[in-house]
Amino acid sequence: MERIQAWMDAVGTPLLAGGILLAGCYFSVGTGFFQLRHLRLWLQRTLGAILGSRAVRERRDPHAISQFQAVSTALAGTIGTGNVIGVATALVAGGPGAVFWMWVCALLGMMTKFAENLLGNRYRCRGARGEWVGGPMVYIQRGLGCRWLAKVFCLCCLLASFGIGNMSQANSIAGALYATFQLPPLAAGAGLCLLTGLVVLGGLGRLAGTAEKLVPFMAVFYTAGGMAVILLHWRQLPQAVAAIFQGAFGLQTAAGGMGGYALSRTISCGVSRGIFSNEAGLGSSVIVSSASDVASPLQQGMWGIFEVFVDTILVCTITALAILCSGALETGKNGAALSLEAFTRGLGPWAGGFLAVAVCCFAFSAILGWFYYGQRSVEFLWGGRGMAAYQVLFLAATVVGCAARLEPVWALSDLFNGLMAVPNLIALALLSPQVFRITRAELAKLEEKRGALGVDKGERF
């Protein structure tokens, strides 16, 4: 296991990060930086629709889930403990400048997620029960005609669902509950297994309904707590923002004589956190996004941009600014201890309970999202056969994750998580002409519709 982790750290992760970053650059340039040029459009069609359109929150297709349920379930799979603990670790390893590179990668990752979601909607098909079935395995098979490569993706996704999607998240829940409430890990595992079973065994409708309620709650809950810490230390906010930009280009390290190595470390940490926080390039969240009642591939692509925005630009930034503004970074602590120190300086004795609730919500939501990804992978590989076995093993893994040491699991999780991106990136590259063609065609339709309604065509979205 040590060799696997060493290989991933030295070769696998940098290669994977480079491939995902290159894909983000390619789709950004190919669409004319859609995420910036059409900022108002995708905000109106996502955030604006959530706040003002009942159609987004209600199902129009009895065999599909609503747009809001789809994005909530997708965010459930991406917003995990890495948004709290991972950001703290990146700040310690790369300094405040890592946050800037995290933003850059999120900006590029928006278009990778856009392309994934667009293709997922374009190539999805109806399943045996009338439901929409999509995801990288579907657009690899239907778009490229390469079923064996689709099976490779599903196998890696299935294995990753036990590691990064289950046991590592369960371990974080058990650690948070023991540290705050002294709840034994085995008891936490039994309770988590029962709660997970009650949700996931009820099918996609119950899972999406739970995510629809849990994800907005945890996002608002955590954002409110993080903003409270930042506002209580508002005098340090300009200094924190300045440190982010100075550190991003090595101005602080150059003054200290550390030079190029420190700058490369800053960029590396920011890139890694930015890429892996929202899972752009892995293709996992497309599996549930394709199950929604969205009719337009362009609209589905814009929901992908919104997912990255919430996960990285909002949640990760809140964590980073809370740590920097509170001065917790100067204590020398790392990981969960650093996040706890930052929130303690703002929330006082309530910080431990606050973070425990936040970590449990983040981790539990990730478990729910990844169960669905693994389930769809099993269905693609073996049909209905093996589904009951997968459900039993998945629920058992939550207990194991709470009670066991997981160093080997984390090493294998990194490996399968990385391997899952390879067939997806190949498909994205080969199907990219479809992404560009559909984007241009649907934008042209929107312009024609605006013209028919008497809206000034010169006015940009």
Side-chain angles (χ1 to χ4, degrees), residues 1-352:
M1 295 303 169
E2 290 80 4
R3 290 183 179 180
I4 292 176
Q5 191 62 57
W7 183 85
M8 286 299 295
D9 290 341
V11 180
T13 300
L15 283 177
L16 176 62
I20 293 175
L21 198 60
L22 186 61
C25 291
Y26 176 60
F27 284 108
S28 294
V29 173
T31 59
F33 285 89
F34 179 98
Q35 70 274 49
L36 297 178
R37 290 177 57 241
H38 298 288
L39 173 66
R40 192 173 74 175
L41 173 64
W42 66 259
L43 280 176
Q44 286 176 343
R45 294 301 181 93
T46 55
L47 181 60
I50 290 173
L51 297 176
S53 174
R54 292 183 61 187
V56 169
R57 299 187 294 273
E58 295 179 350
R59 289 192 303 167
R60 293 169 293 181
D61 182 342
H63 299 292
I65 58 177
S66 71
Q67 297 178 42
F68 186 58
Q69 287 177 327
V71 74
S72 295
T73 309
L75 284 170
T78 56
I79 299 179
T81 55
N83 294 72
V84 180
I85 301 171
V87 171
T89 303
L91 283 172
V92 171
V99 179
F100 175 84
W101 296 107
M102 178 182 74
W103 292 338
V104 171
C105 288
L107 184 68
L108 297 175
M110 285 178 176
M111 294 315 296
T112 308
K113 208 81 174 264
F114 171 88
E116 292 172 343
N117 275 19
L118 184 148
L119 290 172
N121 185 280
R122 163 66 178 82
Y123 287 104
R124 66 182 182 172
C125 57
R126 293 285 186 177
R129 297 178 296 275
E131 79 283 12
W132 284 114
V133 177
M137 60 279 207
V138 177
Y139 58 69
I140 290 172
Q141 176 175 292
R142 301 189 72 202
L144 299 181
C146 193
R147 184 170 175 80
W148 71 266
L149 189 62
K151 287 184 174 181
V152 170
F153 172 85
C154 285
L155 182 60
C156 292
C157 183
L158 173 61
L159 294 171
S161 73
F162 286 102
I164 192 172
N166 186 332
M167 287 189 280
S168 60
Q169 304 294 338
N171 192 262
S172 298
I173 290 175
L177 293 177
Y178 182 78
T180 306
F181 306 110
Q182 288 73 55
L183 183 68
L186 199 58
L192 179 60
C193 177
L194 177 61
L195 187 59
T196 303
L198 289 174
V199 176
V200 301
L201 297 181
L204 177 58
R206 185 182 298 174
L207 193 155
T210 302
E212 180 183 28
K213 298 176 180 63
L214 178 61
V215 170
F217 165 76
M218 72 184 193
V220 172
F221 176 78
Y222 185 75
T223 300
M227 287 301 299
V229 175
I230 295 168
L231 291 174
L232 286 169
H233 300 87
W234 64 271
R235 289 184 177 85
Q236 281 70 47
L237 183 59
Q239 181 181 347
V241 173
I244 289 172
F245 284 95
Q246 290 172 359
F249 302 101
L251 300 180
Q252 291 177 325
T253 55
M258 297 176 68
Y261 173 76
L263 178 58
S264 66
R265 183 68 174 166
T266 296
I267 296 174
S268 175
C269 291
V271 167
S272 296
R273 185 69 261 145
I275 287 174
F276 296 112
S277 69
N278 51 62
E279 298 179 9
L282 300 187
S284 51
S285 65
V286 187
I287 298 173
V288 71
S289 297
S290 300
S292 77
D293 58 11
V294 176
S296 163
L298 181 68
Q299 175 65 34
Q300 192 64 71
M302 289 188 284
W303 281 115
I305 295 176
F306 179 72
E307 290 170 25
V308 178
F309 172 79
V310 172
D311 181 274
T312 306
I313 302 298
L314 178 61
V315 179
C316 288
T317 300
I318 289 290
T319 301
L321 289 178
I323 292 171
L324 293 174
C325 289
S326 66
L329 187 61
E330 301 169 4
T331 62
K333 295 181 179 180
N334 199 354
L338 177 57
S339 297
L340 179 59
E341 176 66 25
F343 281 88
T344 299
R345 293 186 176 201
L347 305 180
W350 297 97

